Amino acid sequence: AKYILGIKLKHVALPNIIANDMVVPELVQSRIRVPKILSTIQTVLATPTSKIQDRYSNVVSKLKISKSPLSDIASFILNSNKR
């Protein structure tokens, strides 16, 4: 876990935070060393492209905004009154 502005986070890279999973490698400044950079690059290069695309697709799907945000807002408001 990492602390940012006093908040405990499992990840620091935005794609990882959004996915709540390791999508991209995180090289945290206080722990970064040349051997770690090299091994991370080797790991990424050895990872099948399809696996990387699947990871990013998961992030993109979580970020998708509907074609009609106003409709989503209206539905939310209407459904809030039913609670």
Side-chain angles (χ1 to χ4, degrees), residues 35-70:
K36 178 67 176 168
I37 295 170
L38 292 174
S39 70
T40 301
I41 291 170
Q42 289 172 334
T43 300
V44 169
L45 291 175
T47 304
T49 305
S50 60
K51 188 172 184 178
I52 295 171
Q53 288 173 335
D54 287 345
R55 291 177 183 165
Y56 276 101
S57 292
N58 179 32
V59 173
V60 170
S61 69
K62 289 185 178 193
L63 291 174
K64 286 233 187 224
I65 298 174
S66 105
K67 293 179 181 174
S68 176
L70 293 177

Side-chain angles (χ1 to χ4, degrees), residues 5-6 17 19 21 29-30 36 52 61 64 66 68 72 74 79 83:
L5 300 173
I17 292 170
D21 195 12
Q29 191 172 8
S30 63
K36 178 67 176 168
I52 295 171
S61 69
K64 286 233 187 224
S66 105
S68 176
D72 289 346
N79 291 327
R83 294 179 192 158

